[in-house]
Amino acid sequence: HHLALNTDDMKMTLDFYTRVLGMPLVHALKVPPGLGTGSGNRGNPPFENIRHYFLDAGGDSLLAFFEIPKGAKPKADRDAIGTMQHVSFAVSDEKFNQVKKNIEKAKLPYLGPINVGCDTWSIYFFDPNGIRLEFSHQREAEPRVVERWKQTRAEALEELKTLSNDRTWLETMVAHLPERRRS
């Protein structure tokens, strides 16, 4: 449905995501009173009446931002335990090339394109909030991320055995995976 991130500058964030990444705004609201610090809080940031905007991230999913009051919280270390390291978006080849052109036009540094495996090409860059983003594409007109990245049982087991030697657990983890790749 959506991934919710934080910013302390909603206008800057909207400008970047709509203009550079081409993600249109689809919903803008303020969190109603009582949902920030009151008993009705359902996991929102602990602030009242803050902005919560949603962008169309493609693939029938949304990217949302809460606007945290400036200076109220420190910037996070994306490599710390319990934090988000980066967000990756699967896009068409056409969208990938458009975003790359927009990044270059905005004179933003980026890494890639890099073949990250399974014939998937990615570029990496940062948004104005310091959030690391990845845009990936495959040669097909529509991304087939899960299909392309799904391993066989044996392939997954090879790595999982470095985590545990509990046979029951290992078999449970790979029971849904195919014995062999489809041709």
Side-chain angles (χ1 to χ4, degrees):
H1 189 274
H2 73 276
L3 170 66
L5 303 173
N6 296 324
T7 183
D8 66 358
D9 188 334
M10 188 65 80
K11 184 176 182 313
M12 170 194 70
T13 299
L14 283 180
D15 285 344
F16 178 80
Y17 280 85
T18 60
R19 293 181 181 163
V20 177
L21 302 186
M23 293 183 184
L25 176 70
V26 296
H27 196 97
L29 65 95
K30 284 213 174 155
V31 174
L35 293 186
T37 58
S39 61
N41 187 311
R42 55 181 183 242
N44 290 341
F47 304 99
E48 293 295 333
N49 205 33
I50 60 173
R51 292 180 179 98
H52 190 30
Y53 291 8
F54 295 80
L55 303 152
D56 180 346
D60 198 33
S61 62
L62 301 169
L63 178 62
F65 281 91
F66 286 103
E67 187 177 45
I68 305 300
K70 282 202 184 295
K73 294 283 183 178
K75 273 202 175 217
D77 174 354
R78 76 170 189 275
D79 296 323
I81 303 302
T83 61
M84 184 189 69
Q85 213 283 328
H86 71 275
V87 180
S88 180
F89 298 94
V91 296
S92 68
D93 186 48
E94 180 182 348
K95 177 76 171 182
F96 181 89
N97 289 322
Q98 185 59 56
V99 167
K100 185 174 174 286
K101 284 179 189 170
N102 291 349
I103 290 168
E104 290 169 345
K105 185 177 174 183
K107 297 182 177 14
L108 297 172
Y110 67 93
L111 178 64
I114 297 170
N115 185 340
V116 295
C118 299
D119 200 29
T120 302
W121 294 85
S122 294
I123 55 174
Y124 298 88
F125 53 96
F126 292 93
D127 87 346
N129 298 293
I131 299 169
R132 187 168 192 183
L133 304 175
E134 174 184 6
F135 269 60
S136 299
H137 79 93
Q138 300 159 345
R139 299 289 181 230
E140 296 83 12
E142 292 297 320
R144 296 189 336 247
V145 177
V146 175
E147 177 185 329
R148 187 174 282 278
W149 282 80
K150 186 181 286 185
Q151 292 181 308
T152 65
R153 288 181 189 180
E155 289 168 334
L157 275 173
E158 185 176 332
E159 169 55 28
L160 288 171
K161 285 179 181 176
T162 69
L163 184 61
S164 173
N165 61 4
D166 179 336
R167 271 184 195 258
T168 303
W169 182 83
L170 290 168
E171 288 303 319
T172 301
M173 290 296 111
V174 300
H176 65 286
L177 294 174
E179 287 292 329
R180 61 184 68 80
R181 294 198 180 274
R182 292 191 322 197
S183 18

